[in-house]
Amino acid sequence: MQTSQSARLFEKAKNYFPGGVNSPVRAFRSVGGNPLFIERGKGSHIWDADGNEYIDYCCSWGPLILGHANDEVLNAVENTMRNGTSFGAPTRLENELAELILTFNSFIKKIRFVSSGTEAVMSAIRLARGYTGRTKILKFEGCYHGHVDSLLVKAGSGLVTFGNTSSAGVPESFVNETITVPLNNKEAVLQAFERFKDEIACVIIEPIPANNGLLLQGKAFLSFLREVCTQHQSLLIFDEVISGFRVSFCGAAGLYSIQPDICTYGKIIGGGFPVGAYGASQEIMSCVSPEGNVYQAGTLSGNPVAMTAGIAQLTQCLQPHFYRELEEKTQYLVNGIMSVNSFPLFKLFTLGSIFWIAFTDKKNITNADDIDANSMQYFKTLYQTLLKKGIYLGPSGYEVGFISSAHTYDDLDKTILAFKEALKMLLIE
Ligand SMILES: *Cc1c(COP(=O)(O)O)cnc(C)c1O
């Protein structure tokens, strides 16, 4: 496989950007080699700068649930753009996207559009603090919520901890407002509330944790969080930036029928453009400026081009059987790969159209501690072999894969065959 053009572009990029990239995981550091520079995409396929073709399971890390360059999205965006790309004044397109979401998602009654998942989470935390008048937040080890200062915190030693920053530049005083507990551990949550009962503004969780492996939580644990939050008048935030519009139109809240107090969205909501959002009840959202005193604003918020892409994408997600068909494809892929697997530790965990490759002898992985860092060596080898066979995954063993509606059964059959051979080679190495 020829990749000299990508290599050349990466050398250049290193002069311009830290590590040659504008977001760290793109740099391929955990799988080795140079990142591929992507030239174009159509449907489930992408082509790199050297003309190599891949079946893409990264899908821009989740947003592209219809695949690349979806015709309806492109046509709509083109029409909108001709009328101008930004006004900094309201447009009818914001109403249309909001109406589409609020009509079919009964878990939120009002919404505010922002420009990224990080921004949505940052605003939701501020809103929870403003609404409750409390300062502390409780998060789970193994959940990612974007690069929000107070959430770049990893657990210390012990069940309930004020963690350590997972990034330089985050003040200790911020970290002291963030309590960190393990996933799927009721005892830890109870202990945290016992110690800090009237101080906890919110509990934030990815209801389907999918940024550090796929750490599936039982419905019982999520219901338990709902009860504990209600009991202590803390807000429950579901960070649905990945799971929103992915596992169902109403995300994990809909899948599990659990009512969070605030939901955050991103990724799919923007149809491949930078959009995030947070939503809640009328009462909670009335705290947001200009109605209330929780300040939050954005020059490009509700951008008409991005709104248009979101409308075009979400309209297609609402077609009958859309999510069932995605799930059927994912099951077909997962069962197909498992049926040809020859490598003992290889496992696939899946929910809806999300899947995660793990190397483990455990039956379930529900907690960040259950992931063996050494197993990432296997992923690295598997990754490079699959890449040469035309299968593109997110370049890290901690990342999940996504199926889009553009993936065909022919794509899936080719992928199963590639896995069969790659897993066989893993056995030899
Ligand atoms: C991707 C993601 C974010 C951050 O979104 P960005 O658009 O990258 O800022 C936050 N929370 C979750 C659960 C995510 O998956």
Side-chain angles (χ1 to χ4, degrees):
M1 189 170 79
Q2 181 70 251
T3 56
S4 55
Q5 292 300 326
S6 281
R8 193 179 57 83
L9 289 165
F10 189 46
E11 282 313 308
K12 257 195 156 172
K14 284 186 202 163
N15 298 320
Y16 308 140
F17 315 115
V21 289
N22 286 299
S23 194
V25 73
R26 295 180 195 172
F28 266 53
R29 294 213 170 171
S30 59
V31 292
N34 290 330
L36 297 174
F37 277 62
I38 305 303
E39 204 77 20
R40 66 189 177 95
K42 187 69 191 168
S44 55
H45 289 229
I46 51 173
W47 288 262
D48 69 15
D50 292 274
N52 302 304
E53 182 176 353
Y54 308 87
I55 303 172
D56 178 25
Y57 292 97
C58 178
C59 298
S60 189
W61 304 102
L64 302 181
I65 197 166
L66 306 175
H68 296 270
N70 176 267
D71 288 331
E72 286 168 56
V73 174
L74 290 189
N75 288 338
V77 161
E78 210 179 314
N79 285 332
T80 294
M81 282 201 305
R82 290 188 197 288
N83 294 325
T85 55
S86 183
F87 307 102
T91 65
R92 76 172 69 215
L93 295 162
E94 291 151 83
N95 287 2
E96 279 177 31
L97 183 56
E99 194 174 358
L100 193 61
I101 293 165
L102 296 175
T103 304
F104 294 99
N105 181 345
S106 59
F107 294 90
I108 55 170
K109 297 287 180 260
K110 254 190 190 163
I111 193 164
R112 171 61 65 84
F113 292 119
V114 294
S115 300
S116 72
T118 296
E119 207 186 331
V121 171
M122 185 181 79
S123 310
I125 298 277
R126 186 181 305 137
L127 175 56
R129 285 173 164 156
Y131 178 80
T132 59
R134 302 174 177 180
T135 55
K136 291 203 180 345
I137 59 180
L138 188 148
K139 84 172 283 274
F140 295 88
E141 179 73 3
C143 285
Y144 175 70
H145 302 291
H147 61 95
V148 182
D149 275 338
S150 53
L151 293 169
L152 287 178
V153 175
K154 57 178 187 283
S157 53
L159 201 58
V160 178
T161 57
F162 287 117
N164 309 306
T165 65
S166 55
S167 163
V170 176
E172 194 65 33
S173 55
F174 285 34
V175 176
N176 290 341
E177 304 300 338
T178 305
I179 306 157
T180 309
V181 297
L183 279 162
N184 193 35
N185 189 322
K186 292 185 184 177
E187 188 50 42
V189 175
L190 290 174
Q191 272 189 31
F193 271 97
E194 213 157 275
R195 265 170 73 186
F196 306 104
K197 20 178 168 302
D198 299 333
E199 297 174 68
I200 301 175
C202 63
V203 171
I204 182 165
I205 188 168
E206 285 180 81
I208 300 172
N211 278 287
N212 186 75
L214 183 62
L215 306 173
L216 295 174
Q217 305 296 293
K219 178 178 174 176
F221 183 67
L222 298 170
S223 300
F224 160 81
L225 294 181
R226 175 64 279 173
E227 282 164 30
V228 175
C229 284
T230 305
Q231 191 187 339
H232 291 91
Q233 286 155 6
S234 296
L235 300 190
L236 178 62
I237 303 180
F238 273 7
D239 181 358
E240 301 239 39
V241 172
I242 275 197
S243 52
F245 312 99
R246 168 59 64 180
V247 295
S248 81
F249 195 84
C250 305
L255 186 74
Y256 296 120
S257 297
I258 295 174
Q259 174 69 60
D261 296 299
I262 306 178
C263 286
T264 56
Y265 301 106
K267 299 198 167 102
I268 292 174
I269 202 175
F273 284 80
V275 181
Y278 59 103
S281 64
Q282 304 269 6
E283 189 205 352
I284 293 175
M285 289 305 278
S286 69
C287 295
V288 178
S289 61
E291 216 171 312
N293 54 11
V294 175
Y295 189 73
Q296 187 271 305
T299 301
L300 292 172
S301 292
N303 173 269
V305 182
M307 293 292 106
T308 300
I311 294 163
Q313 174 147 280
L314 294 191
T315 301
Q316 292 176 70
C317 293
L318 282 168
Q319 307 243 311
H321 314 310
F322 179 85
Y323 289 99
R324 204 184 68 199
E325 282 166 19
L326 271 185
E327 189 170 340
E328 281 168 7
K329 281 183 190 174
T330 312
Q331 285 301 323
Y332 181 87
L333 179 70
V334 166
N335 293 336
I337 294 172
M338 289 319 292
S339 74
V340 298
N341 170 45
S342 50
F343 196 76
L345 293 177
F346 176 82
K347 292 226 167 55
L348 284 169
F349 294 99
T350 180
L351 179 67
S353 51
I354 308 172
F355 66 90
W356 177 48
I357 296 167
F359 290 91
T360 180
D361 49 18
K362 294 189 166 70
K363 232 176 119 198
N364 293 301
I365 296 192
T366 57
N367 189 302
D369 276 350
D370 291 341
I371 303 176
D372 174 12
N374 292 324
S375 71
M376 293 301 156
Q377 271 308 113
Y378 297 120
F379 181 82
K380 188 174 172 178
T381 309
L382 182 75
Y383 188 89
Q384 291 298 344
T385 317
L386 287 174
L387 204 58
K388 290 191 188 85
K389 292 181 184 297
I391 308 296
Y392 188 86
L393 300 162
S396 158
Y398 290 94
E399 302 289 352
V400 296
F402 300 98
I403 304 275
S404 75
S405 61
H407 284 87
T408 63
Y409 280 91
D410 183 51
D411 289 329
L412 303 179
D413 284 334
K414 286 186 175 133
T415 306
I416 293 166
L417 193 62
F419 266 85
K420 181 182 179 177
E421 290 166 13
L423 287 161
K424 230 187 267 169
M425 279 174 67
L426 206 57
L427 210 55
I428 299 164
E429 283 183 26

